[in-house]
Amino acid sequence: MLKRLIPLALLAIATPVTAQGVDPAAITKTVQEISSDAFHGRAPGGPGEAVTIDYLTKRFQALGLEPGGPDGKWTQTVPLLHTKLGQPQKFGVTVKGQWQPWTRGEQAYAWSLQPNDKAVIANAPLVFVGYGVTAPERDWDDFKGVDLRGKVAIILVNDPDFEAVQGDAAFGKFGGRTMTYYGRWTYKFEEMARRGAIGALIVHDTPGAGYGWNVVVSGQGEAYDIVRPADQITSLKLQGWLSGDAATSLFKGAGLDLATLRTAARQSTFKPVVLKEATFSAAVPVTHEVVESHNVLAKIPGTGAPGETVMFGAHWDAYGVGPADKDGKTIRPGANDDGLGIAALLDIARILKAEPVPRRTIAFALWTAEERGLLGSEYYANHPVYPLETTAANLTIDILQTAGRAKDVILVGVGQDSLQDDMARIAATQGRRVTPEGLPERGLFYRADHFSLAKRGVPVLLQMGIAGASDLEVGGVAAGQAWIDAYTGKCYHQTCDAWSPEWNLAGAKQDIDVMLQIGREVANSKAWPDWKPTSEFKAIRDKSAALRP
């Protein structure tokens, strides 16, 4: 049992259970509490975890929910592997017999997600695999049967059609500027591991990645993963990024032109290219430890179909304690990211618990380690408490805009599943329209906790306030963009992501109301949300169709 570490005055959990709408005042109070210094920035495994878990379970208890975790518990234990690379003893390439050392963080940046004391790669052949994609449903294969065992792959970022022009075979095959999962670096590393590579480096460019080199190196050699059995490790000895300049130089030294190969990689006839007389070597010490963290799970059991589930999700973790800012503050409180998501789920739980018992079970998941790579939700997806095949939907809230009422709702992942149609229909009852996310090439659909369930076939919907500029009732799109610029440019993951009396939660209430109504409808329906025919996840869901009545 976790010890009670919060003063009673802080908890304020005796909120009356009444069937009323989303309450911005209650949400504000929760955010003020969960982002206070008492929670130490809510880092997984850190000094704030026990306080956070205790607070959340007592809030759910006070609302009358039941424990939703395994074995009748409120929590699901999530063992996390934490690694950190030391100073490399060797790190670089040999080209035509000449050793070229790389400085980690300059020419290349890498990490390891294997529990070994040292990451060692000795003279491994280098192979350029284009975009590193195999997508049978799009009739695309970058590998053409080439054996990657024992090799280090060099990969382009984003999708094959990200830079494609009319006439290229890839043109339009992967949604144009809208990133698919094939464009995410996580997919690329997983695919290289499946094919037996021992290392992989993605060529960085800011437009394709969606962020600069400064973001790439910000991890300082640290990395997290869920603890996996030895025969299920999906990572490589080393994986990371290669700077654009270093890549160009490496290919030139090997007698190849990277720009020409970029163009070739947009054709369906592309085959992997070995960098002749070029090998990669590394010997880097690794410290590793297992950190125990927890997901928090609560439920409202259904009556008509209790084995079918609708899940609301948000992540409880933030960035903990970091370097002091200009005012000497070190705690990064995560008030919006994702304190607002936590508060939204608790208020949704309050409302639904006060209503007639739903047909399907409604589960509430507050995930750990989202900021470390969606790890709490990934662990759950590998060890589900509620069968994924009969989980009707996952509705995730991760950051909400705090600038006031909006004329629209921002849709992340256009064209994925039928829940998006529900969003449009319900938003229309509010007098609002749907606006597609502003920068679909950045792949936000693949960067929040719902995705851990989506890639296993569960239909999902994400509410993310920074996905696009809201058309605010006061100030329009310009004001919505100004809010995004101010938040992401100054306070995102920083000490100033704190509650402010300047917050206007009227727009957040609109968005939460949409998610609440969708969840309510699905929980009381016999229908099953489904993926659109063009989604890369439809085939996964279809395989389990016989399990859904």
Side-chain angles (χ1 to χ4, degrees), residues 68-85:
D71 303 319
K73 298 178 181 178
W74 288 104
T75 60
Q76 178 184 45
T77 301
V78 180
L80 300 173
L81 173 67
H82 173 217
T83 65
K84 184 174 178 60
L85 298 191

Side-chain angles (χ1 to χ4, degrees), residues 277-476:
E277 298 187 71
T279 60
F280 175 84
S281 297
V284 189
V286 183
T287 59
H288 53 93
E289 62 177 341
V290 174
V291 177
E292 188 175 277
S293 192
H294 303 83
N295 293 325
V296 178
L297 296 162
K299 67 180 178 180
I300 302 173
T303 53
E308 300 173 10
T309 309
V310 177
M311 176 177 280
F312 289 92
H315 67 90
W316 65 254
D317 68 305
Y319 267 85
V321 178
D325 65 11
K326 60 181 178 59
D327 299 317
K329 296 179 181 178
T330 59
I331 293 176
R332 294 172 284 184
N336 195 335
D337 184 15
D338 191 25
L340 269 173
I342 295 169
L345 258 64
L346 288 169
D347 211 45
I348 290 171
R350 173 186 63 83
I351 294 166
L352 293 177
K353 179 59 180 174
E355 296 180 354
V357 178
R359 178 179 179 274
R360 288 168 165 154
T361 294
I362 302 175
F364 295 86
L366 290 169
W367 310 116
T368 183
E370 186 273 350
E371 302 291 8
R372 308 301 187 189
L374 318 182
L375 297 182
S377 56
E378 176 68 14
Y379 184 86
Y380 173 88
N382 283 320
H383 306 87
V385 179
Y386 309 95
L388 301 182
E389 297 82 0
T390 53
T391 298
N394 172 277
L395 307 170
T396 290
I397 298 175
D398 191 347
I399 302 178
L400 294 167
Q401 64 93 350
T402 60
R405 289 177 60 86
K407 301 174 186 177
D408 58 355
V409 59
I410 306 300
L411 173 58
V412 182
V414 175
Q416 284 288 357
D417 62 42
S418 63
L419 293 169
Q420 300 179 355
D421 303 329
D422 297 326
M423 172 185 269
R425 172 176 53 79
I426 294 167
T429 68
Q430 300 174 319
R432 298 200 295 164
R433 66 185 186 279
V434 166
T435 296
E437 61 188 299
L439 295 168
E441 65 270 24
R442 294 189 177 179
L444 288 178
F445 182 81
Y446 310 98
R447 292 163 61 179
D449 282 310
H450 70 289
F451 181 61
S452 297
L453 281 74
K455 67 181 180 181
R456 284 143 174 116
V458 177
V460 296
L461 189 66
L462 170 66
Q463 190 72 255
M464 180 173 278
I466 60 173
S470 297
D471 185 2
L472 300 179
E473 289 186 0
V474 178

Side-chain angles (χ1 to χ4, degrees), residues 104-365:
R104 193 181 72 215
E106 294 184 10
Q107 291 84 6
Y109 175 80
W111 61 92
S112 175
L113 286 173
Q114 296 188 359
N116 301 318
D117 295 334
K118 183 180 285 189
V120 178
I121 296 176
N123 296 314
L126 290 160
V127 183
F128 175 65
V129 296
Y131 288 88
V133 171
T134 177
E137 78 283 1
R138 287 173 166 83
D139 193 28
W140 196 268
D141 174 29
D142 280 329
F143 299 97
K144 307 297 191 298
V146 169
D147 186 2
L148 292 183
R149 286 177 295 181
K151 300 179 175 65
V152 172
I154 299 178
I155 319 159
L156 297 176
V157 71
N158 218 298
D159 290 314
D161 64 352
F162 179 70
E163 296 180 313
V165 297
Q166 193 77 41
D168 289 334
F171 187 75
K173 267 190 178 288
F174 294 82
R177 301 289 285 186
T178 300
M179 183 187 286
T180 70
Y181 184 47
Y182 300 114
R184 288 285 292 145
W185 54 265
T186 49
Y187 162 80
K188 296 177 189 294
F189 292 146
E190 289 167 2
E191 186 64 26
M192 300 312 119
R194 282 191 288 268
R195 292 176 177 273
I198 58 175
L201 296 170
I202 298 174
V203 178
H204 178 266
D205 66 75
T206 297
Y211 40 78
W213 187 253
N214 63 312
V215 176
V216 168
V217 302
S218 62
Q220 300 297 311
E222 286 192 274
Y224 287 81
D225 194 10
I226 59 175
V227 173
R228 305 175 190 269
D231 60 347
Q232 296 178 25
I233 290 177
T234 58
S235 60
L236 306 120
K237 289 185 176 182
L238 283 174
Q239 56 198 54
W241 295 82
L242 182 61
S243 76
D245 289 344
T248 298
S249 176
L250 170 62
F251 278 67
K252 183 177 180 180
L256 299 168
D257 180 67
L258 181 56
T260 299
L261 288 174
R262 280 183 178 274
T263 301
R266 304 197 295 261
Q267 312 307 320
S268 57
T269 54
F270 170 82
K271 294 181 180 180
V273 177
V274 176
L275 278 67
K276 295 180 180 178
E277 298 187 71
T279 60
F280 175 84
S281 297
V284 189
V286 183
T287 59
H288 53 93
E289 62 177 341
V290 174
V291 177
E292 188 175 277
S293 192
H294 303 83
N295 293 325
V296 178
L297 296 162
K299 67 180 178 180
I300 302 173
T303 53
E308 300 173 10
T309 309
V310 177
M311 176 177 280
F312 289 92
H315 67 90
W316 65 254
D317 68 305
Y319 267 85
V321 178
D325 65 11
K326 60 181 178 59
D327 299 317
K329 296 179 181 178
T330 59
I331 293 176
R332 294 172 284 184
N336 195 335
D337 184 15
D338 191 25
L340 269 173
I342 295 169
L345 258 64
L346 288 169
D347 211 45
I348 290 171
R350 173 186 63 83
I351 294 166
L352 293 177
K353 179 59 180 174
E355 296 180 354
V357 178
R359 178 179 179 274
R360 288 168 165 154
T361 294
I362 302 175
F364 295 86

